[in-house]
Amino acid sequence: MNNIMLDLEFLGKPPCARITNIGACFFNPLTGEIGDQFYSCVNWANESDQNLPFEASTVKWWLEQSADATKELLTKDRVSLEIALHEFSLFVKKNTNPFKVEMWGNGDDCDCVVFEAAYKSINIEPPWKFWGTRDVRTIVSAVNLIHKIDVKKTLPFEGIPHHALHDAIHQAKYVSLGYQMLQFGGS
């Protein structure tokens, strides 16, 4: 598998924001198969671990989310941004060739952009090439335009909303459904 669905939770707005959690899974958009998964809780509270901005409005938004979602922000099992990014790079290299990665994010200006900025902030090359980024919202829009169906809302969500790994898996599932609808023309 070369497709990776990425979901980040962060405290700020793109293009640079302080990352709190990284979730990702390999997936096959033509079959819906979910492959290896990655999850990391990042030390967002220590300036020496992460010198990226955060915004009060995003912190306020987090305080309005479910207890299960905010629990992920407050877990004590956190690693530095540098360790999380090194671990993610190893995860990618273990599973595929970085030149072949298709890195999916929710919005062409959101997850992948924030993730790339995080890699740049610690002077590490991301494990994907710039030409390999893909946008979840484009698939959702194309299916809606052609089939008048919002694939994002057709599959039940399993897990905790705003948990980076659960969100990534859900996004991979509905992108795969969208691909299949576009490929086979059915609904």
Side-chain angles (χ1 to χ4, degrees), residues 11-13 53-64:
L11 299 171
K13 294 186 177 100
F54 66 95
E55 296 181 7
S57 63
T58 309
V59 173
K60 181 181 180 294
W61 178 87
W62 270 107
L63 294 173
E64 296 166 352

Side-chain angles (χ1 to χ4, degrees), residues 21-163:
N21 300 78
I22 302 166
C25 64
F26 277 91
F27 73 108
N28 182 334
L30 299 177
T31 66
E33 177 186 359
I34 303 294
D36 284 354
Q37 301 168 14
F38 179 88
Y39 184 67
S40 183
C41 297
V42 181
N43 187 356
W44 57 270
N46 188 332
E47 295 293 328
S48 66
D49 280 346
Q50 194 172 169
N51 192 21
L52 293 165
F54 66 95
E55 296 181 7
S57 63
T58 309
V59 173
K60 181 181 180 294
W61 178 87
W62 270 107
L63 294 173
E64 296 166 352
Q65 302 312 303
S66 74
D68 287 335
T70 56
K71 181 174 79 173
E72 292 302 305
L73 286 179
L74 303 174
T75 181
K76 292 180 179 23
D77 298 328
R78 297 197 163 275
V79 298
S80 70
L81 179 64
E82 184 172 2
I83 288 172
L85 296 181
H86 278 295
E87 288 175 350
F88 184 80
S89 293
L90 291 172
F91 166 75
V92 172
K93 290 173 186 170
K94 177 185 129 199
N95 286 286
T96 194
N97 179 338
F99 281 94
K100 296 181 179 179
V101 168
E102 294 190 26
M103 180 67 75
W104 289 82
N106 211 352
D108 65 344
D109 62 349
C110 196
D111 292 299
C112 293
V113 172
V114 169
F115 211 37
E116 185 174 350
Y119 270 94
K120 285 181 181 176
S121 78
I122 58 170
N123 299 312
I124 301 174
E125 281 293 315
W128 71 92
K129 300 303 176 193
F130 69 90
W131 62 79
T133 58
R134 304 290 181 261
D135 179 16
V136 169
R137 293 176 185 156
T138 300
I139 294 295
V140 171
S141 178
V143 172
N144 196 354
L145 182 68
I146 294 167
H147 295 289
K148 309 294 186 243
I149 294 171
D150 185 349
V151 291
K152 185 175 180 177
K153 296 179 180 173
T154 59
L155 298 173
F157 189 92
E158 296 175 12
I160 302 166
H162 308 300
H163 181 291

